[in-house]
């Protein structure tokens, strides 16, 4: 079970147990601030630290001691919006039968909400109890809310209402669960139709099912993955579903076990997905998320209401004290009012004769029914949930036409199911010969194989990708473009099978960056900053002044001095580009490098400045362009002097002075490669005052141009084509300082094709002062 708590707030939890009279209760794993009354079974106290507490409960009577049951206490920080802690976030109802579900949340909520609700159900806004008698069959995604004086926390509950007088429908979602050797495990079968008994077989070693309640509990003793056929029975019949339980070793990083790693949403409809992982994660991440969605870092729930159509690859993370486990989730958001779109990927599945099989159709558009035909012998589909389940009886390969229908129409896809004989080596059923990915973008590929593999392998993976040997999921962010022939393996007790897949990674990167503005002494100094990923990044940095005059700039800086700073101080300085600071001739190397990267040639004898440097991984570097005794318009340029996208610029920025006329600041940006690049562009003015900068632009606006065409702009960062949540997530992801709520700073999250772009800070004729323009590679 689970319970919410809040730091420095009194907590109470009552252990309930059958088999009265109970003689005593016990609890392990509780912090010192929480105490169990062993006679009454009441846990009380005041949590002192936020996080997740995983405790183990037992009850003893004259007959014996119960199997250990886990209790998860989610402790939220004080003074924050509530965190909804219900688990699972699924519930089952039956037409004509009373229904009840109560929202549990930290933060002492003063009110609750739940919408939309199935017909016949209501919510008590004071207690969070959802009650009533359902009147119509269907599945509803319900956005739950819990509100206190700080704000509102959300989660998405899926309520499935079945018809009366039919066999139970098991509604657990996802049909995956994770456990850890030596750690108590718990899962409750949820089903419509008021089941009188439950079943679950085969179960991992150490687990048992309570046939009366449907609770699967115990302490796993062996590592492995088990397909478990769940059953729920009433007087009419038995409903089935297949649950995959993955047990990981103790003391390792979490393993994310969600399968499939696809999810579907619809614009304007509540969305819900919960990360499941072994290893008792203490925190979760998910980035980037589609507009309108947020993740709960304590529970792993991704929730909200999507606002924009599109497909997003989301890198999931689950962390404990040992490390972080990753997987990539693909979320497809469809428009409202259209036929469902089936989003399962891959559209292959493997089964074994005599072993429970499970596959769930994932589709947008709130389908009211699902179909799958023809199915291999022994399998059937639950029309209300899209779960294909059963135990295959015959070897063979079947092409299955999947259907998902709503009031608008039906969406289709074809699933290939391969059933192998028992007691043979796995058969890998993935049918893709090539797979594509993009450098810097979350990648996902899952090996599917019959024969219940105990381990998977993948050799010669592109840099940045790893395989989870327990689940067969290949995930990560590729760092380098190219083509790799990857050897895939799947192993069980009988043997190993092998196949090959070609993974092609396209790539793009920030190749060049330039900033033109008035530069001089003090606050007039033109400053550019940058960070590179990977050691040995070669850069050509130039401070151009007098050469601008040959291009029609009348107030060019006559003699710019370029100074480069790293974390240890001055890295280099240059006054005249043909001679180093030590007086050595440098013209040949600088000119050759400029020609190679496509930079305009500097005239022989000009007073422009230039440095050729090698940058270390992750070290913030700053270049200053200024004159000893004058001011004027200067151009600071940064060119990637090598073509290795694995060593790349991850962020570039320029602090400039906004003036009128030809001194109006301009930033230039070149995206190189063969794939789109998503960047975060920010124009910071008022927030600079928090860092000691005076005379800032009070309300900056940024505009992005391709040639002479404006392609995007933003005035205030919280309002625009990118939502505030997206800007906050992207800023956090790339390590940018946060923008205060309500500030007049500007920001854009934009995907750019390879090419040349300019970023301008439009001047209204009166706005002057300091502005910081930043560009971050979000991939």
């Amino acid at each position: 079970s689970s319970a919410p708590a809040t730091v420095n707030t009194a907590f109470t939890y009552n252990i309930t147990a059958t088999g009265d009279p109970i003689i005593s209760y016990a609890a392990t794993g509780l912090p010192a601030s929480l105490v169990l009354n062993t006679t009454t079974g009441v846990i009380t106290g005041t949590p002192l630290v936020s996080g997740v507490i995983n405790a183990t409960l037992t009850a003893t009577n004259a007959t014996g001691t119960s199997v250990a049951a886990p209790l998860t206490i989610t402790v939220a920080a004080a003074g924050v919006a509530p965190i909804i802690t219900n688990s699972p976030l699924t519930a089952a109802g039956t037409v004509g039968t009373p229904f009840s579900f109560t929202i549990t949340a930290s933060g002492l909520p003063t009110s609750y909400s739940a919408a939309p609700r199935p017909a016949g159900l209501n919510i008590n806004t004071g207690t969070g109890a959802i009650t009533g008698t359902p009147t119509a069959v269907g599945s509803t995604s319900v956005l739950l809310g819990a509100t206190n004086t700080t704000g509102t926390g959300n989660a998405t509950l899926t309520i499935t209402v079945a018809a009366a007088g039919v066999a139970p429908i098991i509604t657990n979602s996802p049909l995956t669960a994770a456990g850890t050797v030596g750690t108590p495990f718990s899962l409750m079968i949820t089903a419509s139709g008021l089941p009188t008994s439950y079943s679950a077989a085969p179960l991992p070693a150490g687990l048992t099912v309570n046939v009366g309640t449907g609770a699967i509990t115990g302490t796993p003793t062996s590592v492995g993955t088990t397909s478990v056929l769940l059953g729920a029975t009433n007087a009419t019949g038995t409903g089935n579903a297949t649950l995959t339980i993955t047990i990981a070793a103790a003391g390792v990083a979490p393993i994310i076990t969600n399968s499939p790693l696809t999810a579907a949403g619809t614009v304007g409809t509540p969305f819900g997905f919960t990360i499941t992982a072994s290893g008792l994660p203490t925190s979760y991440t998910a980035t980037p998320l589609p507009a309108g969605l947020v993740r709960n870092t304590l529970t792993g729930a991704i929730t909200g209401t999507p606002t924009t159509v599109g497909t997003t690859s989301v890198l999931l993370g689950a962390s404990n004290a040992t490390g972080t486990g990753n997987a990539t989730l693909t979320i497809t958001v469809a428009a409202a009012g259209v036929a469902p779109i089936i989003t399962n990927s891959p559209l292959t599945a493997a089964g074994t004769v005599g072993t429970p099989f499970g596959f769930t159709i994932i589709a947008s558009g709130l389908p009211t029914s699902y179909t799958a035909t023809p199915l291999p012998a022994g399998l059937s589909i639950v029309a209300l949930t899209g779960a294909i389940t059963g135990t295959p009886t015959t070897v063979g390969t079947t092409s299955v036409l999947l259907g998902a229908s709503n009031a608008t129409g039906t969406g289709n896809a074809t699933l290939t199911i391969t059933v192998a004989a028992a007691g043979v080596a796995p058969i890998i059923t993935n049918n893709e010969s090539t797979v594509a990915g993009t450098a810097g973008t979350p990648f996902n590929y899952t090996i599917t194989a019959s024969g219940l593999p105990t381990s998977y392998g993948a050799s010669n993976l592109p840099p940045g990708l790893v395989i989870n040997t327990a689940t067969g999921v290949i995930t990560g962010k590729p760092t380098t473009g190219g083509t790799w022939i990857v050897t895939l393996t799947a192993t069980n007790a009988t043997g190993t099978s092998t196949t090959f897949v070609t993974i092609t990674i396209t790539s793009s990167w920030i190749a060049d960056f330039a900033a033109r503005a008035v530069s001089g002494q003090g606050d007039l100094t033109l400053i550019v900053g940058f960070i590179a990923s990977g050691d040995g990044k070669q850069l050509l940095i130039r401070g151009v002044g007098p050469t601008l005059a040959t291009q029609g700039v009348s107030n060019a800086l006559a003699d710019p001095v370029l100074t480069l700073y790293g974390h240890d101080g001055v890295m280099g300085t240059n006054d005249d580009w043909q001679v180093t600071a030590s007086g050595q001739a440098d013209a040949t190397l600088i000119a050759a490098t400029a020609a190679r990267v496509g930079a305009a040639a500097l005239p022989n004898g000009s007073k422009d400045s230039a440095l050729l440097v090698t940058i270390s991984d992750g070290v913030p570097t700053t270049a200053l362009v200024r004159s000893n005794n004058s001011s004027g318009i200067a151009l600071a340029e940064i060119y990637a002097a090598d073509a290795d996208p694995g060593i790349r610029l991850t962020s570039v920025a320029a602090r400039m002075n906004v003036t009128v006329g030809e001194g109006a600041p301009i930033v230039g940006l070149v995206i190189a490669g063969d794939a789109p690049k998503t960047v975060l562009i920010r124009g910071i003015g008022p927030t600079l005052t928090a860092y000691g900068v005076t005379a800032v632009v009070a309300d900056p606006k940024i505009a992005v141009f391709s040639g002479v065409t404006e392609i995007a702009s933003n005035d205030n960062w919280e309002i625009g084509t990118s939502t505030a949540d997206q800007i906050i997530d992207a800023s956090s992801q790339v390590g940018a300082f946060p923008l205060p709520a309500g500030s007049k700073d500007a920001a854009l999250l934009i995907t750019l094709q390879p090419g040349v772009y300019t970023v301008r800070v439009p001047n209204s004729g009166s706005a002057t002062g300091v502005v910081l323009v930043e560009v971050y590679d979000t991939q």
Side-chain angles (χ1 to χ4, degrees), residues 50-78:
S50 62
V52 177
I53 299 169
N54 293 287
T56 303
L57 310 178
T58 57
T60 301
N61 64 10
T63 304
T65 299
S66 67
V67 173
L71 169 64
T72 300
I73 303 174
T74 302
V75 183

Side-chain angles (χ1 to χ4, degrees), residues 553-574:
V553 177
S554 61
N555 184 32
L557 189 63
D559 187 8
V561 177
L562 175 64
T563 307
L564 190 66
Y565 293 88
H567 67 287
D568 292 327
V570 176
M571 297 175 60
T573 186
N574 181 262

Side-chain angles (χ1 to χ4, degrees), residues 449-469:
S450 63
L452 298 178
T454 52
S455 66
Y456 299 86
S459 61
N460 194 40
L461 284 171
L465 299 186
V466 295
I467 183 170
N468 186 316
T469 57

Side-chain angles (χ1 to χ4, degrees), residues 435-444 465 478 480-482 503-507 674-675:
V435 178
T438 302
T441 299
F443 176 93
N444 182 70
L465 299 186
T480 305
I503 300 180
T504 299
I505 305 298
T506 56
S507 62
D674 55 7

